[in-house]
């Protein structure tokens, strides 16, 4: 299968051992999958954006700073898989396609201002006709309301993009978090190319293979 | 002033003399402005997308074909201003910024799939903190309904992005055309960076300087 | 075997299905051949050269426009073989060699002004020490006079470069067409590196494998 | 004059306003100087190197992570001077020379593993035949022993590289700090190309112009 | 004026001072001319081609070796004019155009196999619409027969490309030398773009300005 | 095993057949090793450095000239192994890593001024975690004094970096030659990454496989 894995920048904020992610990818590749990884920027991105604001940078430049940090995270992960991953981090989708053609894991930070990491992963998934886009976030999956605010929020193992949109419209409270999942641009691409999206959390990185087999719980967003 | 001019791909569909555009840019530069030009793809783009569909390309690849044609149009315009324009067409916003730093007119086709030419021009305008984004389209400006369908459509010399959105919501019929003006991504960037947008038509290319001085009619969209 | 296939730009002028070419290449690769493809520019190239003339471009720039269109055709074909072909179109012979080293089909448009597509294919064939350069044209092969003018023109299944030159000298009428086959630069390279050239027509693309086995008629030009 | 300014990575560790540096450079450029800036990595570099160690990266890769962070700092500073600085951060001395040729401020992070930021600045200073290499550190200048340990350490307004070496040999305690000033490779280049080095501290960034005129105290290292 | 100067590789074969050439270019630039320089490969090129043959390289690779040496000569000259020349040697005509756009002297070695340095200079001259292509050779200009063999050979101050061709046809003996002046590809470009060619010798490098004013003797080839 | 082979530039100074080196590499690769090759500059480098001095180039530029010649030698060797080697010569360690990732022999000339070929090979060896760095020099291995001056110099089959340093300190006479083996930067990298170094001579190139098996005499330097 062709898989795009998107990991939230928060993964790089804590010290600890990051090899759980490279190991998961290694084992997915060894079982015959082709994998692209997209990394977010996290706290370091926010730090540099703060420095940038103190220097009066415009919005495009601030976004570029965040992209550079996401690429730094991407480079870290690429270096951690020297035999498996392409050593360069692509700076555009066209570069991504070139590197991907070499049959290696390609690790992406971001491409351009005005674009969420979710949108980047959707673009990558579309370009390689991926079987799944796996989004590794801070929550376990998609809920019908914000699980951080509502203790009765119901976990949704399966949800269509249409349903996701209507949850968004009725439930203001879930907005921010869900937006992180799929902003309008990501949504548009996921729908037009009918990409299946799996949502899971950082503590399940070691179980990605089981999630793909349906042996471990996660949400699936199906494009309609 | 720093100006981004976006010209519809239709400009390249007819034979005739294309020097009206290079002459307009030359004269804007000679009066002390810095200019970036963004070109659409037009009919040739559609032709290649048709060929691409017959080859079963995915959506990302079809978009890339359209981008290549838009870049071909950009290259044509760059070659027509050898002393003024940078000879290479940038393939990403970061490349654009590098070329722009040389103090030349930079001509852009497109950057990546899933993105309208309008969004590209908004990105470029934001990145250089442009004074105006000038969109050269097939209609004279913004109307309160579709002028091609409604003979009483009222021309709007000034409109806020909020008003533009509400026109969109109430008037289905104008949707497609306006979408071409400012799709959601372009709108988001125009608003967050407060970019002023001028809308005018192909037959007014020779009057851009007058439009900027307010001596010739055109619509202005103001971000709110 | 190592094969360079050159296809006339006319191939991209008609609508219809272009997969006949990508399928032919796929099947040649599956039988163990290594393939480079060179594409011409066709009608779209002529259209842009016309626009360029209206803008007073110099000869070098007009040639570059034609090269860009040939590269667009090359890109279309590369996108149609995502698992087989290198996704980038090389812009010089040195880039071609780099991409070729990855073991993929590389699709070339053109390299520089003042050079026919035939010369480009001869250069590519020389650089990889190709077994055959296959030229796919609008005529069935080499004739002793112009088949479009002379109904008795004799088809030549085998011809040396020396003979080809003397046909050229005695028969003015065949000049233009033959020139397209092998202009002086292509001829020089074919001779100095002793490259065997096969000439066949667009309607035989599906039969390239048979032509290579000698089971289907075509002309062979042998360097002397 | 041609100036290379090297700023310690610690500059980017504190929040506060970083415009003191871009303003200093702007005013040096406005007085007719040509400036290259070299930035260190600081605390963020150490953080990523720690993450890298947890992933068992080799020494070369760890150094590359530090270089990436130094380049991120370089990019931040380049973005803060959009009209003055080249927007791209060079990845090798040859790229540096290319960008420098455009007459802009070029901001450098690092070039390759096994090389201190001091060595990078010396290389850059040699390549452009700089008049001065200005090193902005955490201490006020060069002392005859470690001012952090010895309250009687004597500030040296002028010192030759030979003297600096002999201070190093007799005073173990000052080693680490001085090493940061000029490691063996930096020392070798400074000597072979006779580059004058000024050492000053972060709190004097606003006074660089005065230091260059000798109106403000700082140490000068003279190559012998 | 826009000038392309082509210097024979023999210039780099002797020890002595090479600054005569950089000084000549500096003074041409100071008088308001824009200059591109094309360098040949000389004896070092022949040495590497010999080594290449011992390694059984194909013709394309041998040509590339010669091009690399010509680029080394180009790099030497570029380094000798650090304030005037672009520091990178272009590897294709498109790169040349990009570098040329920066308003600097661009020094070219060669572009691709199968192409003489004369053809490269003609391409460059065409691309920038040069006023003159100046070829600095080992002979003083164009003669009606080979001056090295025939002591009565007549120097030709003015000659058309048509006349040059007929001299070539009637006088076998002058062939090799003249070929070096203008091989068929160079001739074709010179004619189609009507480029004026001046032929002079190495010992007149210091007098280029005078030659351009007609105050010093040299041959002029006029395209017909 | 992963091997880095460094060959002295003197290898390219004599005419004769250079295929001994490409054959040795081919056979090492065929036995399952991965190989990177680093080439020195030799006499041609010295020639260009002499020309450069006559043009008053600074030290950085002179070093760059030497690096260009080393890259020319690298290119020659890459061309001699078209199926095995990457066709492009990397210009930085990061480019080296990218090319190396393709699983090919990568041939390196040099990276930047102020750096010996020995340091370059050590950097490359560290970056790929090489098993051995093999240095092919003009002497048979490491001696306890200079074998060219002292007929009783004792050949050392095994030596630690510490011992090597102390030989250097006690024996002035061996300095220059040993420096060529491992200058301070190379030494530092070899030690920090514990790279094993084999030293042998040009006339043993055909026996590299035997040396690696310990069947042929050579010196081994072990990092301590």
């Amino acid at each position: 299968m062709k898989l795009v894995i998107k990991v939230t920048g928060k993964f790089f904020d804590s010290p600890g051992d990051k090899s759980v992610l490279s190991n998961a990818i290694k084992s997915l590749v060894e079982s015959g999958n082709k994998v692209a990884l997209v990394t977010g920027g996290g706290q370091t991105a926010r730090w540099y954006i703060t420095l940038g604001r103190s220097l009066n940078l415009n919005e495009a430049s601030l976004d570029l700073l965040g992209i550079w940090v996401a690429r730094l995270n991407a480079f870290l992960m690429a270096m951690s898989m020297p035999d498996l991953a392409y050593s360069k981090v692509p700076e555009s989708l066209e570069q991504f396609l070139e590197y991907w053609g070499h049959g290696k894991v390609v690790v992406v930070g971001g491409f351009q201002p005005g674009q969420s990491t979710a949108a980047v992963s959707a673009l990558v998934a579309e370009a390689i006709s991926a079987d799944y886009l796996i989004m590794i976030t801070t929550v376990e999956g998609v809920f019908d309301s914000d699980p951080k605010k509502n203790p009765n929020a119901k976990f949704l193992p399966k949800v269509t993009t249409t349903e996701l949109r209507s949850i968004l419209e009725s439930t203001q409270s879930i907005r921010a978090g869900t937006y992180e999942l799929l902003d309008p641009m990501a949504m548009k691409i996921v729908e037009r190319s009918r990409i299946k999206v799996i949502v899971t959390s950082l503590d399940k990185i070691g179980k990605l293979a089981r999630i793909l087999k349906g042996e471990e719980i996660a949400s699936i967003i199906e494009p309609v």
Side-chain angles (χ1 to χ4, degrees), chain A:
Chain A
M1 283 195 297
K2 285 185 271 186
L3 307 173
V4 176
I5 300 174
K6 188 233 141 182
V7 65
T8 168
K10 292 191 188 66
F11 178 65
F12 303 96
D13 291 349
S14 57
D17 186 356
K18 301 301 163 199
S19 61
V20 58
L21 183 55
S22 34
N23 288 336
I25 292 172
K26 275 176 214 167
S27 103
L28 284 168
V29 170
E30 277 157 15
S31 346
N33 300 290
K34 290 199 67 187
V35 179
L37 176 65
V38 181
T39 55
Q43 194 175 299
T44 308
R46 278 186 298 279
W47 171 249
Y48 274 90
I49 288 168
T50 305
L51 290 183
R53 280 201 204 282
S54 89
L55 283 157
N56 279 317
L57 303 200
N58 63 23
E59 293 295 314
S61 304
L62 294 174
D63 274 12
L64 283 172
L65 277 175
I67 288 169
W68 263 71
V69 176
R71 286 180 188 159
L72 174 58
N73 289 335
F75 182 68
L76 174 72
M77 293 317 297
M79 285 293 105
S80 76
M81 305 176 280
D83 298 324
L84 227 59
Y86 201 75
S87 72
K88 284 190 65 177
V89 175
E91 302 190 358
S92 67
L93 188 76
E94 287 164 275
Q95 274 191 355
F96 168 82
L97 280 173
E98 184 185 4
Y99 300 171
W100 179 255
H102 296 306
K104 302 216 139 188
V105 172
V106 180
V107 195
V108 176
F111 293 146
Q112 63 173 39
Q115 205 162 62
S116 68
T117 324
V120 170
S121 0
L123 274 169
V124 164
E126 177 182 71
I128 64 171
S129 308
D131 294 280
Y132 288 102
L133 164 53
I134 304 171
M135 311 196 78
I136 300 175
T137 67
T138 51
V139 288
E140 227 178 304
V142 181
F143 290 80
D144 66 352
S145 60
D146 188 343
K148 288 173 186 166
K149 294 190 177 169
N150 178 359
N152 298 321
K154 200 179 135 204
F155 174 83
L156 303 173
K158 208 161 256 194
V159 60
T160 64
T161 47
T162 311
E163 287 161 1
L164 191 60
R165 252 202 212 87
S166 88
I167 293 176
L168 281 172
E169 273 157 31
S170 60
T171 326
Q172 273 306 91
S173 60
I174 204 182
R175 207 164 222 166
T178 310
Y179 179 87
E180 198 191 318
L181 285 185
L182 290 180
D183 65 327
M185 188 183 169
M187 188 77 95
K188 172 186 143 195
I189 291 167
V190 155
E191 287 186 331
R192 81 172 187 181
S193 290
R194 306 191 54 74
I195 299 163
K196 277 178 256 170
V197 182
I198 292 174
V199 181
T200 187
S201 60
L202 285 169
D203 55 339
K204 298 233 171 128
I205 291 180
K207 295 173 179 163
L208 289 183
R210 287 176 53 80
I211 287 175
L212 284 164
K213 288 185 200 140
E215 296 169 4
E216 181 75 29
I217 211 161
S219 298
I220 298 199
I221 306 172
E222 299 212 320
V224 184

